[in-house]
Amino acid sequence: MQGKTFPIVNEEFVLGFRPQSEWGWKIAIAFFFGELGSGLFFVSAFYDFTLGMAIGWVLVSVCKPAALFMHLGHPERAWRAIMGLGHSWISRGLLASVLFTGFGGAHIINLHYGIVTGGLAQLLMIVAMVSCVVVMIYLGFVLSYSPSISLWGSGIMPVISLTYALLGGVTLVLIFGYHTLLADNPQLLSTLKSLELGLVLLCGVIMLSFLHGAAYASEAGKASVALLLKHDFAKWFVPFVLLVGIAVTALLAYMGPTSFTAILAVAVAELIGDFALKILLFKAGLYEPAIGHSRF
Amino acid sequence: MPRWGMLFDLKRCIGCNACAVACKQENTTPTGVHFTKTVSEEIGTYPNVTRAYVPLICNHCEDAPCERACPTGATYTREDGIVMVDENKCIGCKACATACPYKNRFVLKKAPIKEGYYTKGNITPFEKQGYVRWVTGTAVKCTFCHERVSEGKEPACAATCPTEARVFGDLDDPNSKIRRLIQARKGYQPHAEFNTRPKVFYVD
């Protein structure tokens, strides 16, 4: 097969790469809130930091569904999405989100008021944490399901979701817990900052692997990566995702002092990179041409 | 029970898009929705340039990614292999549209159906009688003109094709024209590497 370059086309009656246009900023916001909130809840839960858990719960159980409802063509039928548990990651994610909303909320209330103890409290915590992990990763599985969009159709997508969720969680715990949880615990502050730096570096490696994998997966993947690094979206991807979201965040996390202003700056940089990545993932997704090779 | 499929003879297709017009006429699909169409491909460099035509349609995959991605079960496969959508179950999440490797799922937007094609806000009688079948906000697709198939007819695109580049028939019948053409001319499926097992074949 000869190396053939196809043009990027939209609705024209021409063979070429077609950009995906069905999922856009509303789904990106839902992804952002879902991963950030579950990450915040997960990290906060290790320290019984109820404020962080509550904010994470609100992000997952209020903000994310609000964005998803805006996206749906028929939100009044949204309950039907639970029907495909056997084959659809959207259904599995919905079930996890519902369980998280119920058990996560109950776990926070129980931690605060100490209503139940023993086995029941353990059950609340375990179901909340397991469903929280599923919420963190399922969006990656939803994306990795598209075989023709090489940028997404990779097993690394759930890993990206998990890593960014944990990074966002650690970053926000540093912010919300600075005057409470971390105020009289410099050891924990130091631990979380080290964890943050490690996760940022991990995000950098995963991002390189993601771009490398997509570029060599197919012609469409190569074209998507070119969009992100050289063409239409490079002016957003390179400065916001790579520089601000990873390089600047890592540098600030490594060199920055432990003042609140410095921690806030790291968080802002990290969240900008995370959100830009979510938006650009959808913008740069390209379908393979309908027939993958030329007739001649 | 037959297992319906379609074959495209790329040597015969002249890119007239009569199939696309017939489909529009049969299904009254709104602006921007083309259940079938013929795209062109420019091959070579000047002065040795030629143009090839590639008809596209829903491949009614045996292992349809759109069906697997659908969280509500709105997308389903009939016994005769036609992949259908129950618009009363569809929630409009568009997961099918992103999962379909061939980009053959379409989301019905409100504006084209409300405004019509020709004059904004003034839909023609043809559009009026046809648009009642569509539920906006849902994801729709080619159904191989299942009403026509139930009556023993071919899908509108195949019936219209002036060069008989589209062959519709039973893939399980060893004597059917489609089956014989696939065997004689080494029919191949689009992106077979995706393991979706399309019921649409191409021959060169």
Side-chain angles (χ1 to χ4, degrees):
Chain A
M1 186 174 78
Q2 288 183 334
K4 181 173 171 62
T5 309
F6 290 98
I8 295 174
V9 296
N10 286 300
E11 298 306 319
E12 300 96 317
F13 281 23
V14 176
L15 202 67
F17 301 120
R18 291 184 191 273
Q20 85 78 29
S21 53
E22 304 301 350
W23 282 358
W25 63 270
K26 293 171 194 166
I27 282 276
I29 288 174
F31 271 47
F32 180 70
F33 283 142
E35 290 176 6
L36 194 62
S38 52
L40 176 58
F41 182 96
F42 189 80
V43 177
S44 300
F46 279 95
Y47 306 104
D48 288 344
F49 178 44
T50 49
L51 175 65
M53 291 166 75
I55 294 169
W57 185 89
V58 169
L59 288 175
V60 174
S61 303
V62 180
C63 301
K64 182 185 150 211
L68 284 176
F69 275 115
M70 282 197 297
H71 165 77
L72 291 181
H74 284 275
E76 76 281 3
R77 302 176 189 164
W79 62 271
R80 282 189 178 277
I82 207 93
M83 310 295 278
L85 286 173
H87 49 85
S88 167
W89 270 101
I90 292 179
S91 297
R92 292 165 192 158
L94 177 64
L95 176 66
S97 300
V98 170
L99 287 174
F100 174 78
T101 299
F103 285 84
H107 181 48
I108 295 168
I109 291 168
N110 192 46
L111 273 180
H112 197 73
Y113 295 105
I115 300 166
V116 294
T117 52
L120 195 56
Q122 286 287 310
L123 181 71
L124 282 180
M125 188 269 288
I126 289 168
V127 178
M129 293 299 270
V130 170
S131 56
C132 182
V133 171
V134 177
V135 172
M136 271 196 271
I137 59 170
Y138 91 92
L139 296 164
F141 278 107
V142 169
L143 284 186
S144 69
Y145 202 74
S146 300
S148 186
I149 303 175
S150 297
L151 191 67
W152 306 352
S154 148
I156 206 166
M157 292 309 295
V159 182
I160 291 179
S161 290
L162 180 69
T163 316
Y164 269 96
L166 290 175
L167 175 60
V170 170
T171 306
L172 290 187
V173 166
L174 281 166
I175 294 290
F176 294 122
Y178 191 80
H179 296 296
T180 52
L181 176 73
L182 308 169
D184 50 358
N185 195 343
Q187 180 64 39
L188 182 56
L189 178 67
S190 170
T191 305
L192 285 176
K193 276 192 69 70
S194 301
L195 189 59
E196 183 183 47
L197 180 60
L199 284 168
V200 176
L201 295 175
L202 186 60
C203 277
V205 174
I206 289 173
M207 192 52 58
L208 281 177
S209 173
F210 161 69
L211 293 172
H212 182 270
Y216 287 96
S218 70
E219 287 294 313
K222 195 173 180 180
S224 287
V225 172
L227 280 178
L228 290 173
L229 296 179
K230 288 184 193 166
H231 305 308
D232 297 23
F233 305 123
K235 62 187 172 200
W236 304 104
F237 186 79
V238 175
F240 289 106
V241 179
L242 298 183
L243 289 180
V244 174
I246 294 174
V248 173
T249 305
L251 205 63
L252 284 174
Y254 178 66
M255 296 177 68
T258 54
S259 69
F260 184 72
T261 312
I263 286 173
L264 187 65
V266 176
V268 170
E270 191 276 317
L271 293 179
I272 286 172
D274 188 2
F275 186 68
L277 175 66
K278 300 286 185 295
I279 293 276
L280 291 168
L281 269 180
F282 293 110
K283 290 275 183 196
L286 293 175
Y287 288 88
E288 291 283 335
I291 290 189
H293 60 85
S294 171
R295 290 200 288 149
F296 301 97
Chain B
M1 179 64 69
R3 193 168 59 95
W4 299 117
M6 194 175 278
L7 175 136
F8 296 125
D9 187 339
L10 297 183
K11 273 189 180 164
R12 285 177 176 246
C13 181
I14 55 172
C16 66
N17 266 305
C19 48
V21 175
C23 174
K24 284 251 164 215
Q25 205 167 22
E26 178 69 23
N27 296 296
T28 330
T29 51
T31 311
V33 177
H34 299 279
F35 288 165
T36 190
K37 61 185 172 189
T38 301
V39 297
S40 65
E41 180 186 11
E42 198 173 281
I43 296 164
T45 48
Y46 180 83
N48 298 314
V49 185
T50 185
R51 187 168 286 276
Y53 296 98
V54 182
L56 303 175
I57 197 168
C58 169
N59 294 301
H60 295 271
C61 307
E62 297 276 1
D63 188 6
C66 61
E67 188 177 345
R68 274 188 278 131
C70 179
T72 66
T75 304
Y76 64 99
T77 306
R78 300 200 323 185
E79 277 190 12
D80 58 6
I82 298 178
V83 179
M84 302 282 290
V85 182
D86 183 344
E87 63 270 17
N88 294 313
K89 287 184 179 174
C90 178
I91 60 172
C93 68
K94 307 172 186 87
C96 53
T98 56
C100 173
Y102 312 100
K103 211 173 187 319
N104 276 321
R105 297 294 302 252
F106 305 90
V107 178
L108 288 175
K109 293 172 184 162
K110 277 183 190 166
I113 287 185
K114 195 176 170 188
E115 291 171 3
Y117 183 75
Y118 296 99
T119 317
K120 199 173 179 181
N122 186 18
I123 62 171
T124 62
F126 171 72
E127 289 172 309
K128 198 174 181 181
Q129 61 80 33
Y131 286 170
V132 293
R133 68 186 290 180
W134 301 120
V135 180
T136 57
T138 61
V140 295
K141 64 183 289 302
C142 158
T143 62
F144 271 162
C145 292
H146 69 282
E147 301 100 332
R148 289 175 59 93
V149 172
S150 301
E151 293 169 6
K153 298 175 185 170
E154 291 182 303
C157 58
T160 301
C161 182
T163 61
E164 296 184 1
R166 290 175 179 241
V167 179
F168 180 76
D170 181 4
L171 293 169
D172 283 345
D173 178 1
N175 296 314
S176 66
K177 186 179 178 185
I178 184 171
R179 179 76 179 265
R180 282 187 279 117
L181 275 169
I182 290 168
Q183 287 178 337
R185 292 176 57 189
K186 297 188 174 69
Y188 58 90
Q189 296 156 309
H191 285 296
E193 72 275 15
F194 292 151
N195 293 320
T196 57
R197 292 185 289 151
K199 287 195 279 291
V200 167
F201 290 78
Y202 290 83
V203 289
D204 290 328

